[in-house]
Amino acid sequence: MTKASSFSASRRTFMDILASGLALASLSAPTGAFAQASRLSSMKIATIGAGREGGALGTLYAKLGHPVMFSSRHPEELKDLVAAAGPMARAGTTAEAVAFGDVIFLVVPYTAVEQIGKDFGAALAAKPLVLDVSNPIPGRDGQDFVNQVNSQGGAGVVSAKLLKGAKIVRAFNALNYATLDKLAHQQSGPIGVPIAGDDPKAIDLANRLIREAGFEPVLIGDSAKGKYLVPGTPVAGQHSPDELRRIAATLG
C-alpha cells in the first residue's frame, strides 16, 4: 500500500469513528435549543380550574400545540370549552389533570388552594412547575380572608405554605383573561408578564412557556413578592417589560 492510500484509509477510518461518536452523542444526550424546543412543545399542561382565566390560558397553550387537560368537579360541563380550544384539548377531573400534566396551572378561587394542597400536595410537589394564577379577591373570597392571607405575607408566601414542596411560580395573575389572546405576540413588542418564585429551574421553565405564548416574563422577585401579582397593584395591567422592571425596582 502506498503512503497516499494508507493516509486515505486512515482518514476514512477516523471520519467513520467521528461520525459514529457524534451520532451516539446526539441520541444519548440531546442538548441545546433544539432539545429544549422539542421538550417544550410536547409538554402536557393541565389546568386545575377551568373558569374564565383557566379556560383562556389552557386554550392559548392548546392552540400552540400543547396537549391540555382542563379540569373541574364537573368535567362533563366543559364540552364547549374543549371544542373551542381545539383538538389538543380534553377535560377531566382534578385528579386526572394532576396525573396528566407535566406542568400544572393552578387557576382556582384562592379559598380552594388549601384543600388542593391537602388532596394533591405530594403529586404537585413532584412536578417541575406549578404556575400559580390564583388570587385572593375581596369581592369573591371576602375581605376577612384576604386580610388573613396578607397578614401571612401575601399570596406567594401562602401558596408555598399550602402547596408544601411544590415548585411554584406566580404568573398571569395581573393580566385580564379577556385580553390574553389579543395581547399575545404583539407586533409592536411583547407585553410583560410579571412573575415571582424561588426555584431557579421552575422560573426558567415558566420563562420559556411565557415567551412561547408571545409575552415577555419579568421576574419581580421571590415568592414574597408574589403579593404584588394581584389586580390593583402597580404591576397589574398592561405594561412593557421595561416598565415592569422600573416598577419592580420600587417595590419593597
Short mmCIF file of all heavy atoms in Angstrom, two decimals, residues 136 138 142-153:
data_model
loop_
_atom_site.label_atom_id
_atom_site.label_comp_id
_atom_site.label_asym_id
_atom_site.label_seq_id
_atom_site.Cartn_x
_atom_site.Cartn_y
_atom_site.Cartn_z
N PRO A 136 -56.26 35.96 45.86
CA PRO A 136 -57.27 36.26 46.87
C PRO A 136 -57.97 37.58 46.53
O PRO A 136 -57.33 38.62 46.43
CB PRO A 136 -56.44 36.37 48.16
CG PRO A 136 -55.07 36.72 47.71
CD PRO A 136 -54.89 36.21 46.32
N PRO A 138 -61.21 40.19 47.35
CA PRO A 138 -62.23 40.52 48.36
C PRO A 138 -63.66 40.25 47.91
O PRO A 138 -64.46 39.70 48.67
CB PRO A 138 -62.00 42.00 48.64
CG PRO A 138 -60.57 42.25 48.26
CD PRO A 138 -60.30 41.33 47.11
N GLY A 142 -63.99 37.32 50.15
CA GLY A 142 -64.26 38.01 51.41
C GLY A 142 -63.05 38.78 51.90
O GLY A 142 -61.92 38.31 51.81
N GLN A 143 -63.29 40.00 52.41
CA GLN A 143 -62.20 40.85 52.86
C GLN A 143 -61.46 40.24 54.04
O GLN A 143 -60.23 40.36 54.14
CB GLN A 143 -62.73 42.23 53.22
CG GLN A 143 -61.64 43.25 53.53
CD GLN A 143 -60.74 43.51 52.33
OE1 GLN A 143 -61.22 43.87 51.25
NE2 GLN A 143 -59.43 43.32 52.51
N ASP A 144 -62.17 39.57 54.93
CA ASP A 144 -61.50 38.96 56.09
C ASP A 144 -60.50 37.90 55.63
O ASP A 144 -59.39 37.80 56.18
CB ASP A 144 -62.53 38.33 57.03
CG ASP A 144 -63.33 39.37 57.80
OD1 ASP A 144 -62.90 40.55 57.83
OD2 ASP A 144 -64.38 39.02 58.36
N PHE A 145 -60.89 37.11 54.64
CA PHE A 145 -59.98 36.08 54.13
C PHE A 145 -58.75 36.72 53.48
O PHE A 145 -57.62 36.29 53.70
CB PHE A 145 -60.70 35.20 53.11
CG PHE A 145 -59.82 34.17 52.47
CD1 PHE A 145 -59.52 32.98 53.12
CD2 PHE A 145 -59.27 34.37 51.20
CE1 PHE A 145 -58.70 32.03 52.54
CE2 PHE A 145 -58.45 33.43 50.61
CZ PHE A 145 -58.16 32.25 51.28
N VAL A 146 -58.96 37.76 52.68
CA VAL A 146 -57.85 38.45 52.03
C VAL A 146 -56.92 39.05 53.07
O VAL A 146 -55.68 38.98 52.95
CB VAL A 146 -58.38 39.53 51.06
CG1 VAL A 146 -57.22 40.36 50.49
CG2 VAL A 146 -59.18 38.88 49.93
N ASN A 147 -57.48 39.65 54.11
CA ASN A 147 -56.66 40.21 55.18
C ASN A 147 -55.81 39.12 55.85
O ASN A 147 -54.65 39.35 56.20
CB ASN A 147 -57.54 40.89 56.23
CG ASN A 147 -58.20 42.15 55.71
OD1 ASN A 147 -57.78 42.71 54.69
ND2 ASN A 147 -59.23 42.61 56.40
N GLN A 148 -56.40 37.95 56.01
CA GLN A 148 -55.68 36.84 56.62
C GLN A 148 -54.49 36.42 55.75
O GLN A 148 -53.39 36.17 56.25
CB GLN A 148 -56.63 35.66 56.83
CG GLN A 148 -55.99 34.45 57.50
CD GLN A 148 -56.96 33.28 57.61
OE1 GLN A 148 -58.11 33.38 57.20
NE2 GLN A 148 -56.49 32.18 58.17
N VAL A 149 -54.72 36.33 54.44
CA VAL A 149 -53.64 35.97 53.51
C VAL A 149 -52.54 37.03 53.56
O VAL A 149 -51.34 36.71 53.66
CB VAL A 149 -54.19 35.82 52.08
CG1 VAL A 149 -53.05 35.68 51.07
CG2 VAL A 149 -55.11 34.61 51.99
N ASN A 150 -52.94 38.29 53.53
CA ASN A 150 -51.95 39.37 53.52
C ASN A 150 -51.16 39.42 54.83
O ASN A 150 -49.96 39.75 54.84
CB ASN A 150 -52.64 40.71 53.26
CG ASN A 150 -53.15 40.82 51.84
OD1 ASN A 150 -52.68 40.14 50.94
ND2 ASN A 150 -54.13 41.69 51.63
N SER A 151 -51.81 39.07 55.95
CA SER A 151 -51.12 39.10 57.23
C SER A 151 -50.04 38.02 57.33
O SER A 151 -49.12 38.11 58.14
CB SER A 151 -52.12 38.92 58.37
OG SER A 151 -52.63 37.60 58.40
N GLN A 152 -50.14 37.01 56.46
CA GLN A 152 -49.15 35.93 56.43
C GLN A 152 -48.05 36.17 55.39
O GLN A 152 -47.21 35.31 55.18
CB GLN A 152 -49.83 34.59 56.14
CG GLN A 152 -50.82 34.16 57.19
CD GLN A 152 -51.49 32.85 56.82
OE1 GLN A 152 -50.86 31.82 56.70
NE2 GLN A 152 -52.80 32.91 56.62
N GLY A 153 -48.09 37.33 54.75
CA GLY A 153 -47.05 37.64 53.77
C GLY A 153 -47.53 37.72 52.34
O GLY A 153 -46.74 38.00 51.45
#
